[in-house]
Amino acid sequence: MATTEATAASRGSRALVALGLLAIAALLGCLWRIFAATPIEATMGIVQKIFYFHVPAAYAMYVGFVTSAVASAIYLWRRSPKADAWAVAGAEVGLLFCAIVLTTGPLWARKAWGVWWSWDPRLTTTLLAGLIFVAVVALRSMGSAGEAERRFAAALALLGVLDLPLIHWSVQKWRGLHPTVITGAGGGLDPAMRTTLLACFAAFSLLVAWLLWVRARAELLRARADALEAEAARRGVLEEAA
């Protein structure tokens, strides 16, 4: 049994390394396309290239937060340690990409709108999602987080994911400054720009998958180490009592 688990762990480690290398290669390819093979937008100039990081980062944020919410629902239902680990991973990775979105957005907005920040519906709902998942991560970062903290964090993740449809549809439902950059017709992008954007989506897909896997694996190892420490402490107490 131990040999089988060790073999599976070894295969998982190799797959994880391969995925990481593939993600790095894809990101390097995207950087080359963005700055060497994609034309500069006529109105905003070089600043428009933030678009190729901002939009895929928003997509990766969705992936992270949805992963956290789905895993949280499974944890609340089955109390699965693996689901709990993926819930933590999704919240942290989603929050990382949310920070990228909320950083690149103002940089782009300053050129496009003339202001760093506007309480636009999409910006506001994105900030709200980020704050909710900050609370999730803060709860799970407590040194003595127990079952109550885990369940509360899982419930918050489910609450936070309800904000994602508001982010997505806010441009269509409420008037605001934020443009609809992607439509069924392609958003009027130049073919080279569209190809670069799709390549960036693919690269960010590999990146978010790798980060989620790494973080979930680390969380599982941490939980197992804590369980072994607790068991060793319990045995020590029992031996002293005997």
Side-chain angles (χ1 to χ4, degrees):
M1 180 65 71
T3 303
T4 302
E5 290 180 356
T7 301
S10 177
R11 289 176 179 172
S13 297
R14 289 197 295 270
L16 194 58
V17 170
L19 180 60
L21 292 174
L22 187 59
I24 291 171
L27 287 169
L28 291 175
C30 283
L31 287 173
W32 176 82
R33 278 208 59 89
I34 290 169
F35 293 105
T38 307
I40 296 175
E41 204 272 336
T43 304
M44 288 185 287
I46 193 71
V47 176
Q48 185 269 344
K49 292 187 182 291
I50 294 174
F51 168 75
Y52 303 109
F53 301 98
H54 180 75
V55 178
Y59 152 76
M61 176 190 73
Y62 287 168
V63 172
F65 288 165
V66 169
T67 298
S68 180
V70 172
S72 293
I74 295 172
Y75 175 74
L76 290 173
W77 176 38
R78 303 185 63 179
R79 297 294 189 271
S80 165
K82 184 176 290 187
D84 184 54
W86 279 94
V88 172
E92 293 185 0
V93 172
L95 196 56
L96 169 65
F97 285 104
C98 183
I100 294 174
V101 170
L102 293 175
T103 300
T104 56
L107 293 174
W108 192 8
R110 183 67 179 85
K111 177 67 174 179
W113 304 338
V115 294
W116 292 103
W117 181 267
S118 169
W119 292 102
D120 177 87
R122 176 162 284 183
L123 301 185
T124 305
T125 50
T126 301
L127 178 62
L128 176 61
L131 291 175
I132 292 173
F133 279 93
V134 163
V136 173
V137 171
L139 274 172
R140 294 309 309 267
S141 298
M142 292 180 177
S144 58
E147 180 62 20
E149 288 82 1
R150 292 189 184 96
R151 284 185 291 175
F152 191 32
L156 273 177
L158 293 175
L159 175 64
V161 82
L162 296 178
D163 185 50
L164 300 189
L166 295 178
I167 297 173
H168 184 74
W169 295 109
S170 59
V171 175
Q172 288 83 10
K173 297 298 182 182
W174 300 297
R175 296 181 63 183
L177 294 173
H178 200 288
T180 304
V181 294
I182 300 176
T183 66
L189 290 176
D190 177 271
M193 293 180 176
R194 188 181 304 115
T195 300
T196 299
L197 180 62
L198 291 174
C200 290
F201 270 117
F204 272 69
S205 295
L206 293 171
L207 179 62
V208 72
W210 180 68
L211 290 174
L212 286 169
W213 193 355
V214 167
R215 186 61 188 93
R217 186 176 177 137
E219 183 63 20
L220 274 173
L221 291 174
R222 185 203 61 76
R224 288 171 185 169
D226 288 348
L228 289 174
E229 288 181 4
E231 179 63 19
R234 186 184 67 83
R235 288 182 179 179
V237 170
L238 290 177
E239 289 175 358
E240 290 180 1

